[in-house]
Amino acid sequence: MIKDRDYKKKMTTVEEKIKKESKGLRGSIVDSLKEELFGGFYDKDQIIVKFHGLYQQDDRDIREERSKKKLDRLYSFMIRLRIPGGLINSKQWIAIHHISEKNSTGVIKITTRQTVQLHGLIKSKIKPTIQSFNLSKLDSIATCGDVNRNVICSTYVGKHSYEEIYDYASKISKMLLPKTRAYYEIWLDEEKILEKENKEPLYKENYLPRKFKIAIAVPPNNDVDVFANDIGLIAIIDPFNYQLKGFNISVGGGLSTTHGNPKTYSRLGTVIGFSDSEEKTLKIVYEILTIQRDYGNRNDRKLARLKYTIDNYGIDWFKKELEKRISFSLEKEHPFVFTERRDYFGWIQNNKKLWNYTFFIENGLIFDRKSIHLKSALLKIAELQICNFLFTCNQNITLTDIQVNHKGKIQSILEEYGIINYMKNISSIRKNSMACVAFNTCPLALAEGQRYLPNLIDKIEHILKKYQLEKEEIIIRMTGCSNGCSRPYLAEIGLIGVSYGLYNLYLGANNEGTRLNKLYKKNMDESSILKELDLIFDAFRKERFLGENFGNFSLRKQWIV
């Protein structure tokens, strides 16, 4: 039911005012950079700088201590790159490696949106960092803020051409970029042309009401969690000649919620039809954004995602409005099936007879440890310039496009630096785990995420081994708050932080990523989580049907309603 068709309603939020008055996303960022007595940006610029791919953060581990000493917070910045489809070359990886060593904490973080981010940049290092990235044809434009974010796509496409799927991600990313030259003027010293600049044809002066996410999936593998996105493109591949026939269009997916606010909820995308050509698909994607721009809620940011727009106006209205804007009718959706949601680890030969090697990166964190010198190994491989680097939506990395005569060189490095041995000893549940950044830098975190989940999995592994379940492909994910950055609402075991050391436990999602989980128990500490999982795994071992996965078992047992 349509509640309000007035898409020119008064905009009252602080963020809307700041965006409108930002002079094409320039704000007073230049003045903030010149302020040497303060490690952060002016308040308004903290909003605008997100559109440039930066988040202002501080070290929350020492926030209270500094406050007692009457010191400002220890501010730093996170920068996130725009890498549609997650693919870069060896030279670009080398650049990321050295920039991380020189300007950040040294840790490279692979995100759940198939890109990388660096943490710990101080203000004076931001401009040199962006300029160094630019020399390697990398940028951070529109990786944060109320615009389309990094476009993701499946990394394993079977016998179909990965390049064709990747090209769609690249073209969509380019099409939906803001047209303002602010990024180039501020960070790359391009001549200022504000007076001559055209208005944003897509985003207008207020941009989108909230962030926007797009994913491209290739059945039967839903490795991108396509239904968690504002737009999901589901590739329909001809089973006989492996040619792309077009895409089913899914709209309105989104996982973030807010504790204590029943108006917020997770939602899976709704498939509304099929597109049979590139021209039509790009037009559909573009006009879906214009609908969200015009009708999205600009009075309450917690209710501003496309999922709420669709539920507020109705899916029938949305489809009718879309077809009016694109000037053609969507075709009926084509049948498709997802059977799994995973990365394929180890050596695999692709459709071009080239080799790929994928390995697990726990929570996407790349650095050298005592037992595995991961970062050093990747640098040494990159210096050979015999492969490309492909990031997955599960925070892992694939060395791709490897000629058969180069496979042995990479294998030797993987063995020398401990990666082959490391991969042999990783449990199934750990390979299927993800956690968000959370403490110590995320300002929204209520509980730990990536720093804690590995230790908790150590203890869960013992329980699984106790019941001979250590080979089960159980998907577990954790976040430090309810915003869902590691997609925990699509995990068979989801742990959502509510306060320090306490989590809500969710169960019941499936392996295919086509069903949300539901709340099982609230406010659980580590002891109660482990005790509950012990009972649950015992029942799973005794009562499961043949071939039944954990999520389906949880649902059948009616542990969740």
Side-chain angles (χ1 to χ4, degrees):
M1 179 179 178
I2 300 175
K3 297 180 180 178
D4 184 1
R5 291 197 178 192
D6 180 14
Y7 56 82
K8 293 181 180 178
K9 49 190 157 182
K10 186 178 179 180
M11 302 168 191
T12 59
T13 65
V14 173
E15 288 86 352
E16 290 299 318
K17 187 173 186 293
I18 291 171
K19 287 186 289 183
K20 186 175 182 179
E21 298 175 352
S22 70
K23 296 176 292 185
L25 300 180
R26 291 167 178 84
S28 55
I29 293 175
V30 172
D31 293 332
S32 282
L33 286 169
K34 293 177 181 177
E35 178 56 75
E36 297 180 354
L37 297 178
F38 175 57
F41 281 86
Y42 300 141
D43 289 345
K44 291 182 180 181
D45 291 332
Q46 291 178 40
I47 303 296
I48 301 305
V49 80
K50 292 179 183 179
F51 291 78
H52 299 244
L54 296 155
Y55 270 102
Q56 180 170 305
Q57 302 176 329
D58 75 287
D59 188 341
R60 294 181 63 181
D61 287 345
I62 60 174
R63 183 187 287 180
E64 185 177 348
E65 176 188 345
R66 291 180 66 85
S67 178
K68 288 178 180 178
K69 295 178 179 179
K70 302 189 184 304
L71 296 172
D72 276 338
R73 294 177 179 179
L74 186 59
Y75 290 112
S76 65
F77 293 84
M78 178 272 282
I79 185 168
R80 181 183 297 152
L81 293 177
R82 183 176 64 93
I83 307 176
L87 183 66
I88 62 173
N89 60 42
S90 291
K91 290 183 179 179
Q92 289 172 319
W93 178 262
I94 293 170
I96 293 170
H97 175 101
H98 290 306
I99 291 168
S100 74
E101 295 287 313
K102 184 177 180 181
N103 294 343
S104 76
T105 63
V107 177
I108 299 171
K109 166 79 172 180
I110 302 175
T111 79
T112 58
R113 292 207 66 77
Q114 217 169 10
T115 184
V116 298
Q117 59 192 40
L118 304 181
H119 290 257
L121 278 76
I122 59 173
K123 190 163 66 175
S124 63
K125 293 288 187 179
I126 297 174
K127 191 167 183 176
T129 295
I130 291 177
Q131 291 180 339
S132 295
F133 280 136
N134 184 64
L135 292 174
S136 296
K137 298 183 179 179
L138 293 167
D139 66 68
S140 60
I141 302 169
T143 53
C144 314
D146 298 340
V147 286
N148 176 60
R149 302 289 184 88
N150 199 54
V151 181
I152 61 177
C153 70
S154 291
T155 56
Y156 181 77
V157 297
K159 295 182 179 180
H160 181 66
S161 167
Y162 171 75
E163 287 77 13
E164 187 172 17
I165 299 300
Y166 168 78
D167 283 347
Y168 269 95
S170 183
K171 288 174 182 176
I172 291 170
S173 177
K174 184 178 180 179
M175 177 179 70
L176 301 180
L177 279 177
K179 299 301 183 282
T180 173
R181 301 299 297 181
Y183 179 92
Y184 302 93
E185 293 171 14
I186 294 169
W187 309 110
L188 303 176
D189 298 324
E190 180 181 86
E191 181 184 356
K192 186 176 181 180
I193 56 170
L194 176 60
E195 293 77 10
K196 306 175 186 177
E197 186 171 74
N198 294 325
K199 299 295 183 182
E200 292 278 3
L202 169 59
Y203 293 112
K204 307 298 186 185
E205 61 183 0
N206 284 92
Y207 295 85
L208 296 179
R210 281 298 301 274
K211 60 187 175 182
F212 202 95
K213 297 180 178 180
I214 299 174
I216 307 172
V218 182
N221 189 7
N222 188 16
D223 56 336
V224 298
D225 275 327
V226 68
F227 295 114
N229 291 266
D230 297 275
I231 298 177
L233 302 180
I234 302 164
I236 304 301
I237 309 296
D238 190 305
F240 299 104
N241 60 20
Y242 308 110
Q243 297 300 304
L244 177 66
K245 298 170 69 176
F247 294 96
N248 282 340
I249 311 297
S250 167
V251 295
L255 301 183
S256 62
T257 67
T258 300
H259 289 312
N261 186 345
K263 293 181 179 180
T264 66
Y265 50 84
S266 297
R267 185 189 192 280
L268 294 183
T270 303
V271 177
I272 58 172
F274 174 80
S275 169
D276 65 357
S277 72
E278 178 182 307
E279 181 182 3
K280 288 182 179 179
T281 301
L282 296 180
K283 179 68 172 173
I284 290 166
V285 168
Y286 187 93
E287 295 300 346
I288 289 173
L289 262 77
T290 69
I291 296 175
Q292 172 63 355
R293 176 199 67 201
D294 294 342
Y295 286 90
N297 188 331
R298 292 185 183 270
N299 297 305
D300 187 344
R301 288 181 64 80
K302 295 185 184 302
L303 303 177
R305 292 289 296 276
L306 179 63
K307 60 182 176 180
Y308 300 114
T309 307
I310 289 175
D311 286 348
N312 184 38
Y313 288 86
I315 194 68
D316 291 337
W317 172 89
F318 182 86
K319 185 175 179 180
K320 184 178 179 181
E321 179 67 20
L322 175 61
E323 290 179 337
K324 182 176 74 175
R325 296 188 182 210
I326 61 179
S327 301
F328 59 86
S329 297
L330 295 173
E331 296 182 30
K332 184 179 179 181
E333 67 179 86
H334 285 217
F336 67 95
V337 176
F338 287 120
T339 60
E340 59 187 355
R341 184 168 41 136
R342 54 171 292 195
D343 290 340
Y344 289 85
F345 296 107
W347 286 106
I348 291 180
Q349 199 169 28
N350 66 20
N351 65 304
K352 295 166 62 177
K353 304 301 182 184
L354 299 175
W355 286 93
N356 297 340
Y357 185 87
T358 302
F359 48 93
F360 174 69
I361 311 289
E362 191 156 29
N363 300 316
L365 297 171
I366 297 177
F367 59 99
D368 285 343
R369 309 173 193 176
K370 289 184 179 179
S371 58
I372 173 173
H373 298 279
L374 181 58
K375 192 176 182 185
S376 295
L378 290 172
L379 177 62
K380 189 167 184 178
I381 290 169
E383 288 173 340
L384 295 175
Q385 296 189 34
I386 57 175
C387 68
N388 292 316
F389 288 66
L390 179 60
F391 309 119
T392 82
C393 296
N394 295 307
Q395 299 181 299
N396 299 314
I397 195 165
T398 298
L399 306 174
T400 188
D401 302 320
I402 301 165
Q403 299 282 350
V404 64
N405 58 314
H406 293 148
K407 184 181 174 186
K409 297 176 184 178
I410 291 179
Q411 176 75 13
S412 296
I413 295 173
L414 295 175
E415 291 175 352
E416 177 186 354
Y417 286 84
I419 293 171
I420 296 295
N421 187 58
Y422 165 74
M423 287 295 296
K424 290 178 182 177
N425 297 304
I426 304 172
S427 68
S428 294
I429 194 168
R430 195 176 296 272
K431 286 180 179 177
N432 286 295
S433 69
M434 288 199 297
C436 70
V437 173
F439 288 110
N440 60 325
T441 55
C442 178
L444 302 177
L446 304 170
E448 291 283 1
Q450 67 184 19
R451 296 196 301 191
Y452 171 54
L453 183 58
N455 295 327
L456 181 64
I457 289 178
D458 286 342
K459 297 168 184 178
I460 294 174
E461 285 171 337
H462 288 296
I463 301 173
L464 289 168
K465 190 172 183 180
K466 173 182 173 182
Y467 296 116
Q468 294 85 50
L469 295 171
E470 62 268 30
K471 293 184 179 180
E472 287 297 317
E473 299 284 344
I474 299 172
I475 298 172
I476 182 170
R477 296 172 180 173
M478 173 182 282
T479 52
C481 74
S482 59
N483 281 303
C485 291
S486 63
R487 308 194 293 274
Y489 301 105
L490 280 167
E492 292 176 289
I493 300 174
L495 293 162
I496 317 297
V498 291
S499 64
Y500 204 85
L502 294 178
Y503 299 83
N504 289 343
L505 174 60
Y506 285 69
L507 300 174
N510 58 14
N511 266 120
E512 298 81 23
T514 59
R515 184 176 69 231
L516 293 168
N517 56 25
K518 294 184 179 180
L519 179 63
Y520 175 65
K521 288 192 176 181
K522 291 184 176 182
N523 298 319
M524 303 184 75
D525 61 10
E526 181 180 287
S527 176
S528 58
I529 291 169
L530 294 173
K531 182 178 180 180
E532 200 65 40
L533 289 180
D534 191 297
L535 295 171
I536 288 171
F537 290 150
D538 185 23
F540 182 47
R541 176 181 63 92
K542 293 175 180 176
E543 303 173 35
R544 69 185 298 193
F545 294 154
L546 181 65
E548 187 176 31
N549 63 44
F550 180 74
N552 289 342
F553 175 77
S554 301
L555 189 67
R556 180 171 64 82
K557 289 292 292 181
Q558 298 184 330
W559 287 334
I560 52 175
V561 179

